[in-house]
Amino acid sequence: MTAVTQEFPKAFAVLFKDLERWDVSSFQQIAWHWAKEVMTPLGSVLQIRKEKVDRSKVAFSELQPITIHFDGSIDPRHVNSNRAYTMELFYAHTGDIVVSKIDLKNGAVGIVPEELNDVVVTNHFAVYEPDLEKLLPDYFQLIIQANFFKAHLWRNKVGAEGRKEVKLDFFEALEIPLPPIAVQQAIANCWQTAQAEIKAAYERVEELKANIDAQFFKDLGLNPPTPTEYPKVFAVWWEDFFRWSVSYNQAAQSGEDITQGSYSVVELGSCLDVVQYGTSEKANSANEGVAILRINNIKERKLDISNLKHIKLPEKNRKGLMLEDGDILIIRTSGSRDLVGTCAVFHEEGDYVFASYLIRLRTDRGKADADFISWFINSSLGRQQVDAVSRQIMQNNINSEEIQSLQIPLPPLDVQKAIMQRVEVGRQEIAREREASERKKQEIEAEIEALILGTKAIEVVEV
């Protein structure tokens, strides 16, 4: 089953008496397939709750403001005690439906969970008490989060540019299918079962990834690092004191000792022929010039060339920046500490250069396999070193000298290649499992939307 997509006619007629907005998309309606008698306005099953907090009797520290995300999830909002809200506050109780007025167009509608107490919101939110005899909250949440329903909300936002929103009277007037509670529950149960299947599928992917790294370390005679809480007080010998940085010395003292493995350890720089920074020339989205690889092209230890920009360069500069098969690209600076030091190996066909936020490493092909080096740097044992030497100056950074100082266990070249062959077999299995997981997710989402739209019937099991 493919995802639910609604195609609307390119031309249609509307009676002038029905013309409320000069907006073509607002006339594109959801094609429900339920009997007319089950279609019910939301406002008839949602009772507005306006329970004001008496600030003279309750301290702000005793209240729990919340954040509603576009997927409908709700998180507690942590507010510094000296920055208490000055706006009026209103209670939202467990099971209440809370709507973010400005982000209703994005699906920011959530149900207050049991684990949150004394929940409050400002006037930027609307709180509703659902009629539980007619509306199952979990079923309601599925409708709100359905792609076709969120698209309908988006089409019907109004207001000044930059502040467009879906008005509450429009929201309350929307008709949704309200079959018997048993049917709503069956649809919700189907979704919950499906979520468990999706979660299990993604957990299998994560397990496969962990197995690859565990085998990689085993092949090197090493153990993966265990999560460690850094000591608040520690001592460092002066001879081991290389940087005036607490975080650096914590990491340096707490890291795993890779010299205890089966192979000798060398500095990365000793097996590199080229270390080169990329170009800072401005790239374009008009496909003019040569393709340029940037930070966002390095994902999960591989290059992703699905989103490319191009750059015009003089032939002399272009030639000097041209990537060759086996070049390692490593991120040297980023706003994210987790991205700094991550890398991938270039194995693409065609002409590519690289941006200044990246550094090109070219290994001595007689000593080191590029894929092996890249995999180790990206591993948890490599990351502990990168985190130790990287620094934050406006952004997180690691320079070429620090990269070359990284310690790498270096088996003979044939052993490196054999290890990476095993890694590649595992990666192919992960790719197959991930593809199956994504396909399963799409099939499940399409099935749930079909059940909500009424294009597919659901069997209600009597208990």
Side-chain angles (χ1 to χ4, degrees):
M1 179 180 291
T2 57
V4 175
T5 56
Q6 291 189 287
E7 294 186 3
F8 301 105
K10 294 182 178 180
F12 56 92
V14 179
L15 293 174
F16 193 80
K17 65 182 179 68
D18 298 325
L19 194 63
E20 297 179 356
R21 294 174 54 183
W22 296 103
D23 184 351
V24 173
S25 65
S26 67
F27 292 94
Q28 297 170 338
Q29 301 299 312
I30 297 172
W32 298 107
H33 291 263
W34 291 87
K36 186 176 181 179
E37 55 267 23
V38 303
M39 298 302 297
T40 308
L42 271 171
S44 67
V45 290
L46 298 179
Q47 178 65 45
I48 193 75
R49 186 194 294 279
K50 200 87 172 177
E51 187 178 337
K52 187 177 177 181
V53 177
D54 187 341
R55 303 293 290 275
S56 66
K57 296 181 179 179
V58 183
F60 182 74
S61 60
E62 298 176 13
L63 303 173
Q64 181 57 74
I66 58 173
T67 295
I68 305 178
H69 302 286
F70 293 173
D71 64 357
S73 60
I74 290 181
D75 286 329
R77 175 175 289 182
H78 301 289
V79 182
N80 195 307
S81 57
N82 60 8
R83 296 185 62 189
Y85 291 4
T86 57
M87 297 178 64
E88 289 185 326
L89 296 176
F90 302 87
Y91 283 110
H93 299 287
T94 297
D96 280 353
I97 292 167
V98 184
V99 176
S100 169
K101 295 178 182 178
I102 189 63
D103 283 319
L104 172 56
K105 62 181 180 285
N106 294 307
V109 180
I111 301 170
V112 178
E114 292 182 359
E115 60 268 21
L116 294 184
N117 299 312
D118 299 311
V119 170
V120 292
V121 296
T122 66
N123 258 326
H124 294 306
F125 298 82
V127 180
Y128 295 95
E129 181 183 5
D131 182 347
L132 298 180
E133 293 185 357
K134 297 179 180 178
L135 176 65
L136 184 71
D138 287 346
Y139 170 78
F140 166 79
Q141 190 79 330
L142 290 179
I143 291 179
I144 294 295
Q145 292 303 316
N147 291 331
F148 66 83
F149 196 87
K150 293 173 81 168
H152 184 66
L153 291 173
W154 183 263
R155 289 194 298 269
N156 286 277
K157 60 189 186 299
V158 295
E161 199 61 41
R163 292 293 295 175
K164 289 180 179 287
E165 60 184 67
V166 176
K167 296 301 182 183
L168 290 182
D169 56 355
F170 173 84
F171 175 69
E172 293 170 5
L174 282 174
E175 290 191 345
I176 64 169
L178 286 185
I181 288 292
V183 175
Q184 296 180 40
Q185 186 66 67
I187 293 175
N189 290 345
C190 182
W191 180 84
Q192 289 166 356
T193 300
Q195 293 309 297
E197 293 179 15
I198 293 172
K199 181 182 178 183
Y202 284 112
E203 285 177 349
R204 286 194 296 273
V205 170
E206 292 304 314
E207 184 179 353
L208 287 171
K209 289 164 66 175
N211 290 342
I212 289 178
D213 273 340
Q215 183 60 51
F216 179 78
F217 294 136
K218 183 178 179 180
D219 288 341
L220 295 174
L222 296 168
N223 295 314
T226 53
T228 303
E229 285 192 12
Y230 292 147
K232 294 182 179 179
V233 179
F234 59 96
V236 182
W237 290 106
W238 183 253
E239 65 186 47
D240 298 326
F241 204 84
F242 297 110
R243 184 183 294 180
W244 293 102
S245 167
V246 172
S247 60
Y248 167 82
N249 285 289
Q250 282 177 321
Q253 297 299 310
S254 304
E256 297 289 327
D257 185 359
I258 63 173
T259 65
Q260 300 304 305
S262 302
Y263 302 100
S264 59
V265 173
V266 302
E267 282 196 349
L268 176 58
S270 69
C271 50
L272 297 178
D273 282 342
V274 175
V275 179
Q276 180 186 11
Y277 288 80
T279 177
S280 57
E281 293 293 326
K282 187 176 178 61
N284 66 78
S285 301
N287 294 337
E288 296 178 352
V290 64
I292 182 168
L293 297 178
R294 301 164 294 139
I295 288 177
N296 66 339
N297 296 118
I298 297 178
K299 296 179 180 177
E300 296 190 4
R301 308 184 182 188
K302 295 182 68 176
L303 285 179
D304 178 354
I305 59 171
S306 60
N307 179 20
L308 287 174
K309 286 192 174 184
H310 289 70
I311 188 169
K312 288 184 174 181
L313 291 171
E315 182 58 29
K316 178 181 177 182
N317 295 353
R318 182 176 181 271
K319 185 176 180 181
L321 290 165
M322 199 70 69
L323 288 165
E324 296 182 9
D325 183 66
D327 283 350
I328 301 171
L329 291 176
I330 185 167
I331 298 173
R332 69 172 183 85
T333 184
S334 169
S336 169
R337 183 177 178 84
D338 291 338
L339 285 179
V340 169
T342 58
C343 52
V345 183
F346 180 80
H347 289 305
E348 306 300 324
E349 294 183 359
D351 293 344
Y352 293 82
V353 295
F354 58 106
S356 60
Y357 292 130
L358 307 178
I359 293 177
R360 181 223 305 259
L361 308 177
R362 183 173 296 158
T363 62
D364 178 340
R365 306 298 168 86
K367 292 181 180 178
D369 177 76
D371 291 289
F372 173 83
I373 297 296
S374 177
W375 193 266
F376 183 82
I377 295 173
N378 283 322
S379 75
S380 51
L381 287 176
R383 288 303 308 173
Q384 73 178 14
Q385 294 185 62
V386 170
D387 290 342
V389 300
S390 63
R391 69 199 68 203
Q392 185 173 16
I393 308 172
M394 299 297 287
Q395 287 199 321
N396 298 281
N397 293 271
I398 186 170
N399 61 37
S400 60
E401 289 77 17
E402 290 161 341
I403 290 171
Q404 292 180 81
S405 73
L406 297 177
Q407 304 293 299
I408 306 289
L410 199 67
L413 190 58
D414 60 335
V415 175
Q416 296 176 45
K417 292 181 180 296
I419 290 173
M420 292 314 298
Q421 285 176 355
R422 288 191 286 275
V423 168
E424 185 56 31
V425 170
R427 293 182 79 170
Q428 290 175 6
E429 185 179 1
I430 286 175
R432 290 191 295 270
E433 192 68 38
R434 181 177 281 131
E435 183 181 350
S437 300
E438 286 297 320
R439 187 167 57 249
K440 181 70 172 177
K441 182 174 181 288
Q442 292 173 9
E443 290 172 353
I444 286 170
E445 288 176 350
E447 180 179 11
I448 296 300
E449 290 198 0
L451 292 172
I452 294 170
L453 279 170
T455 57
K456 179 178 180 179
I458 189 165
E459 181 181 352
V460 178
V461 179
E462 299 291 341
V463 179

